[in-house]
Amino acid sequence: MSRIVMKFGGTSVADLDKIANAANKVKQEVDNGHEVIVIVSAMSGKTNELVGWVKDSAPADGLYDKAEYDAVVSSGENVTSGLMAMRLQEMGVAARSWQGWQVPLQCTGNHEAARIDAIPSENMDASFASGVKVAVVAGFQGVMADGRIATLGRGGSDTTAVAFAAAFEAERCDIYTDVDGIYTTDPRIVSDARKLHKISYEEMLELASLGAKVLQTRSVELARSYRVKLRVLSSFEEDISEEVGTLVCQEEDIMENIRVVKGVAYSRDEAKMTLLSVADRPGVAAAIFGPLAEAGVNVDMIVQNISEDGRTDMTFSCPTDHVALAEKAMTDAQTSGELNYKELVTDSDVAKISIVGNGMRSQAGVATKMFQVLADEGVNIKVITTSEIKVSVLVDRKYMELAVRALHDTFELGIE
Ligand code: ASP
Ligand code: MG
């Protein structure tokens, strides 16, 4: 019998009515002849509430026990898995819930950000063999080798879903959420943003890491490694046939209308930091970015200027809420003598805008076109970085929406 994975995010299981709505969709797939592994998130808002309780219970230094964090925060998913199984049973579908440790979903690494090591299939296989049609699994959680409960990092149920699809060789992994697919850009900014039928793993990874928050980045990486067919679709629409939603798949499987640019992404809360006059010699980059990494600063773009008289300027970007950490790390490095610079200049009012598309690999001139559009709109570019399938720029935040619209227009992304 074919198996599929269906994952329901927090907004899709936000209350008992929504759980019933999701259960209806599961029943449809059972009636279609599938065995179904359902992965559920906590009811929307629940995880935030649980995290809040942990933080409020933390000692004065803020250093709480991360194993206990996992024990508390994983509980939201336990509730939804049980409720969903009950609802399915009431509909006449043979279903049972599974917590991570019961499967067991084996984890390694650190509490609060654990990684999946293995998912032995015996227990669940036996359950299916005994006639159970639906396994409702609590997402986001697993168990460490020492038996303690682990969680996979915020948004981790997507990763749970893909991992189950890979381990059980599911035909598809359907991610049900509150949007009906992946769009060429944010429809709240550009009214003619268009839903994509298909997008490659690589493009989705770039978009996911750029803040298109529909899928956890790690889940897309995992899907790419195991060639899991991942579909994003709305749990609030009737139609769940294979035509709806957006399929994230291999580039080779995308026959339609190859475009150079697939989407425009943005990240609103970026900061640009420049260290003025650091020595231009081996070891300096390490002396800057080592302490930043240790401080947990998520450095994104990096630019080193040309040097003059053996000194240079180093610019990097990071999220605005990492600015204080970064400033402290740099000041400490200066004080301890590891690093020497004249001044640290911070600009917290920038946003990052990126164009993404596999077609850029083989087509020249895409970046130029992007720069020209921004120039025509009078938008000054502060930093540029490129990868094989992406060009990103930092601009003043006040121009962000204007720039996104202009780029979406120029690359004709609203046109089918
Ligand atoms: N409930 C968890 C969170 O809010 C995991 C998830 O929903 O993916 O981060
Ligand atoms: Mg999510």
Side-chain angles (χ1 to χ4, degrees):
M1 192 180 279
S2 62
R3 280 193 187 151
I4 62 167
V5 169
M6 302 171 77
K7 182 254 169 178
F8 294 94
T11 48
S12 303
V13 291
D15 54 38
L16 293 180
D17 285 343
K18 299 218 167 81
I19 291 176
N21 168 67
N24 259 312
K25 297 199 178 322
V26 176
K27 182 173 184 318
Q28 274 184 56
E29 295 289 14
V30 172
D31 293 344
N32 288 340
H34 297 292
E35 277 175 355
V36 185
I37 300 175
V38 176
I39 312 293
V40 287
S41 286
M43 292 169 156
S44 73
K46 194 71 208 171
T47 309
N48 287 343
E49 182 182 44
L50 295 167
V51 170
W53 287 344
V54 171
K55 303 245 149 114
D56 290 346
S57 307
D61 61 5
L63 297 174
Y64 53 84
D65 178 347
K66 293 194 169 192
E68 298 307 347
Y69 168 101
D70 283 350
V72 174
V73 171
S74 62
S75 65
E77 273 72 9
N78 295 346
V79 174
T80 27
S81 62
L83 291 173
M84 172 75 85
M86 288 172 74
R87 174 59 57 183
L88 284 162
Q89 289 167 6
E90 206 182 292
M91 293 173 167
V93 178
R96 67 154 280 191
S97 68
W98 294 83
Q99 296 184 6
W101 64 273
Q102 295 171 313
V103 175
L105 187 143
Q106 296 169 350
C107 290
T108 56
N110 300 321
H111 280 285
E112 210 176 316
R115 304 188 69 87
I116 301 173
D117 196 25
I119 309 182
S121 62
E122 294 80 35
N123 292 347
M124 209 175 267
D125 278 340
S127 167
F128 281 125
S130 76
V132 172
K133 292 285 179 231
V134 181
V136 187
V137 180
F140 175 57
Q141 57 170 268
V143 60
M144 294 291 199
D146 65 1
R148 303 223 49 188
I149 304 300
T151 64
L152 304 176
R154 297 304 306 270
S157 327
D158 294 336
T159 302
T160 310
V162 174
F164 271 89
F168 287 86
E169 293 174 3
E171 229 166 69
R172 291 197 319 266
C173 180
D174 288 343
I175 306 283
Y176 284 87
T177 176
D178 52 2
V179 295
D180 60 355
I182 307 296
Y183 278 73
T184 49
T185 194
D186 186 342
R188 286 169 301 185
I189 293 188
V190 182
S191 58
D192 67 344
R194 190 172 47 87
K195 190 174 71 188
L196 296 161
H197 301 296
K198 292 184 178 181
I199 186 166
S200 71
Y201 296 118
E202 289 75 20
E203 291 165 330
M204 188 63 226
L205 272 174
E206 293 287 8
L207 293 175
S209 61
L210 288 167
K213 294 202 180 62
V214 184
L215 291 171
Q216 196 196 35
T217 308
R218 200 139 54 93
S219 70
V220 185
E221 282 166 1
L222 201 61
R224 178 177 59 176
S225 304
Y226 290 93
R227 299 277 174 250
V228 172
K229 271 197 191 166
L230 196 59
R231 183 166 66 133
V232 175
L233 71 170
S234 166
S235 62
F236 303 120
E237 278 178 29
E238 281 298 311
D239 190 2
I240 59 166
S241 65
E242 294 205 23
E243 290 77 57
V244 304
T246 299
L247 189 69
V248 188
C249 58
Q250 290 191 69
E251 196 180 343
E252 295 77 59
D253 296 335
I254 305 179
M255 306 293 280
E256 68 189 57
N257 192 3
I258 307 293
R259 286 168 184 260
V260 183
V261 175
K262 263 288 181 51
V264 181
Y266 66 86
S267 161
R268 186 184 299 270
D269 298 311
E270 298 287 317
K272 168 176 164 270
M273 307 187 78
T274 303
L275 287 161
L276 294 178
S277 187
V278 291
D280 190 9
R281 57 165 170 73
V284 168
I288 296 170
F289 296 106
L292 288 172
E294 256 162 58
V297 177
N298 209 337
V299 173
D300 179 26
M301 305 164 126
I302 298 176
V303 186
Q304 182 181 332
N305 283 10
I306 52 162
S307 80
E308 242 175 272
D309 305 324
R311 312 287 296 178
T312 185
D313 300 337
M314 189 78 86
T315 297
F316 60 90
S317 71
C318 67
T320 41
D321 53 8
H322 287 188
V323 164
L325 281 177
E327 282 174 346
K328 178 166 187 316
M330 293 297 90
T331 318
D332 288 353
Q334 173 97 297
T335 320
S336 72
E338 279 167 65
L339 183 67
N340 177 265
Y341 59 88
K342 202 166 108 213
E343 202 187 335
L344 175 59
V345 183
T346 303
D347 176 356
S348 296
D349 293 318
V350 294
K352 181 171 67 168
I353 298 174
S354 310
I355 54 174
V356 174
N358 279 338
M360 284 185 212
R361 285 200 194 107
S362 51
Q363 183 141 341
V366 183
T368 316
K369 195 165 166 182
M370 178 185 200
F371 303 152
Q372 191 56 53
V373 177
L374 296 174
D376 293 346
E377 297 291 337
V379 176
N380 185 33
I381 300 172
K382 303 191 149 190
V383 180
I384 303 169
T385 55
T386 63
S387 81
E388 244 193 326
I389 66 164
K390 179 183 74 176
V391 184
S392 300
V393 296
L394 279 191
V395 303
D396 279 330
R397 189 171 302 130
K398 61 178 187 248
Y399 295 127
M400 187 187 85
E401 306 199 347
L402 169 73
V404 169
R405 280 191 205 108
L407 290 165
H408 195 267
D409 256 20
T410 300
F411 290 103
E412 300 185 335
L413 296 180
I415 301 166
E416 187 79 42

